[in-house]
Amino acid sequence: MDGKYAIAVDIGATWMRVAIGDEEGRILKKLSERTKREGKSGKVIADQVLSLISSLIGKIDVGDIEGIGIGSIGPLDLEEGAIVNSPNLPFEYVPLIGPIRSKLKLPIYLINDCTAAVIGEREFGAGKGVDDLVYIGLGTGIGGGVYVDGHLLFGKDRNAAEIGHITIDVEGRLRCGCGKFGHWEAYCSGANIPNFARLLLEGVSEEKVKSSLLFKLVEGQLANLSTKILFDVAEKGDDLSLKIVEKIGRFNAIGFANVINAYDPSLITVGGTLALENPDLIMRPIKKYVRDHTINRLPRIEITPLGKDITLYGAIAAVVRPLREIEPFGG
Ligand SMILES: [Zn+2]
């Protein structure tokens, strides 16, 4: 190999992905595994990253690789190079940079996964040449990345777009993984939709619930309700499930409207497993209700063309097209 190559890592709550990419944003090879959620300490995450990287690069000379870009779920502590108190991981503290640098002497760029995603979108996806761009990830959690006037937003602790924790229910009926009540993510993320669905079902007559296909598929136990079952049954046309999905969409529309009112983007791209696997059921109600809550002119709202690899694209971009705002560890 010659030229600039990057190792890209995407650490998600459910999936971990690694790839090798080049300067043009081509992914040459990639691997993925479920994120390890068992173990004595958060170090299992760094160990998993290292083992995936070693399977990925095999016999490739590390000398051909410019650096490692990591897009990770947050919150991140960028002094320590670690994930801290993540609502979506079972570990309080996950050291990343220390253990990885002790094995691989390459510069490492560590960024929030949705910040990486919006960088990937602007460099290699639908956002090329778009100065006012927002990426929204609807997955296990909800996150965002934002460019305004061509500037990537960071904030004092680099958490400028923690949009999943926008309050959308002042009654605060559901508790978010972060501990606070009423946050968007507590209602509409893949991890929390079952709680929202059960809350909504409290307002439905027993007769209606019991006669639904949803009730049959959870074997009469609402504790068995999962996001996947709900969307699968809605796709089949179950009336009760469709009503719940519509309500989720209304709450998503409020979240999207808040983002539009705050950042005034011309394009919002949407990714995350939940949106990528159920594009119509997720996008239709958002487009239907968003204008009920916006004051700003509506942007285009589209599913990202980069799919599940969007964070990897951003991690590649962080290495091969570095931004002055993102200083690498060991660079
Ligand atoms: Zn929260």
Side-chain angles (χ1 to χ4, degrees):
M1 300 207 308
D2 45 52
K4 274 190 180 183
Y5 293 93
I7 294 174
V9 181
D10 170 9
I11 302 173
T14 313
W15 289 96
M16 188 182 288
R17 299 171 218 276
V18 297
I20 292 186
D22 69 8
E23 263 173 304
E24 304 305 313
R26 283 179 295 237
I27 288 179
L28 309 173
K29 195 174 164 193
K30 64 180 169 178
L31 290 174
S32 60
E33 254 178 31
R34 282 195 167 266
T35 305
K36 291 216 166 100
R37 301 180 66 89
E38 276 105 41
K40 280 201 302 283
S41 80
K43 196 170 163 288
V44 296
I45 301 284
D47 291 342
Q48 191 181 9
V49 170
L50 282 165
S51 111
L52 274 171
I53 290 176
S54 100
S55 317
L56 179 81
I57 59 179
K59 296 189 175 66
I60 294 169
D61 182 358
V62 177
D64 291 329
I65 294 166
E66 291 274 312
I68 303 174
I70 303 177
S72 172
I73 49 169
L76 298 175
D77 180 332
L78 289 167
E79 298 286 312
E80 301 255 329
I83 308 171
V84 287
N85 302 319
S86 176
N88 296 310
L89 276 182
F91 309 107
E92 243 171 67
Y93 185 78
V94 178
L96 290 174
I97 300 301
I100 295 172
R101 289 269 308 153
S102 74
K103 294 272 161 37
L104 290 166
K105 302 277 179 259
L106 287 165
I108 305 179
Y109 298 80
L110 177 62
I111 7 178
N112 168 286
D113 54 354
C114 287
T115 303
V118 81
I119 295 172
E121 195 72 272
R122 193 155 185 259
E123 293 293 330
F124 304 126
K128 283 181 201 158
V130 178
D131 280 344
D132 298 289
L133 173 70
V134 172
Y135 168 80
I136 298 180
L138 301 174
T140 310
I142 294 177
V146 180
Y147 280 93
V148 175
D149 301 331
H151 299 287
L152 190 56
L153 301 190
F154 286 104
K156 68 185 188 319
D157 296 319
R158 307 220 143 196
N159 298 319
E162 280 291 345
I163 61 171
H165 306 276
I166 286 173
T167 300
I168 56 165
D169 177 12
V170 288
E171 306 287 338
R173 290 167 296 168
L174 292 177
R175 188 176 188 171
C176 187
C178 74
K180 303 292 161 68
F181 290 84
H183 289 175
W184 182 9
E185 186 171 298
Y187 298 75
C188 301
S189 70
N192 291 322
I193 280 174
N195 294 333
F196 188 30
R198 282 187 286 264
L199 178 75
L200 293 170
L201 287 170
E202 285 173 16
V204 179
S205 76
E206 211 180 312
E207 194 192 332
K208 253 200 182 142
V209 174
K210 288 194 168 163
S211 64
S212 68
L213 181 59
L214 180 65
F215 195 70
K216 205 172 146 196
L217 286 183
V218 299
E219 291 159 347
Q221 296 290 328
L222 291 179
N224 294 338
L225 199 153
S226 69
T227 303
K228 180 163 178 9
I229 291 178
L230 177 73
F231 278 82
D232 287 353
V233 181
E235 192 70 55
K236 290 195 174 95
D238 177 59
D239 191 49
L240 185 64
S241 305
L242 280 168
K243 284 210 170 80
I244 296 170
V245 165
E246 182 90 359
K247 191 77 184 184
I248 293 165
R250 286 199 81 124
F251 274 45
N252 275 332
I254 295 172
F256 273 66
N258 288 340
V259 166
I260 293 164
N261 291 339
Y263 302 123
D264 197 17
S266 54
L267 172 65
I268 296 179
T269 66
V270 186
T273 318
L274 184 61
L276 295 172
E277 288 181 357
N278 308 284
D280 291 338
L281 289 173
I282 290 288
M283 298 294 275
R284 209 184 307 126
I286 292 172
K287 290 185 177 176
K288 184 168 158 196
Y289 298 116
V290 71
R291 66 180 72 244
D292 294 348
H293 307 279
T294 44
I295 179 165
N296 289 337
R297 192 160 53 84
L298 283 188
R300 280 188 293 137
I301 303 175
E302 302 170 356
I303 291 281
T304 175
L306 300 178
K308 287 180 184 169
D309 293 333
I310 188 165
T311 299
L312 289 175
Y313 281 104
I316 293 167
V319 177
V320 298
R321 300 183 183 177
L323 296 162
R324 68 184 157 70
E325 296 93 335
I326 303 173
E327 294 259 340
F329 290 83

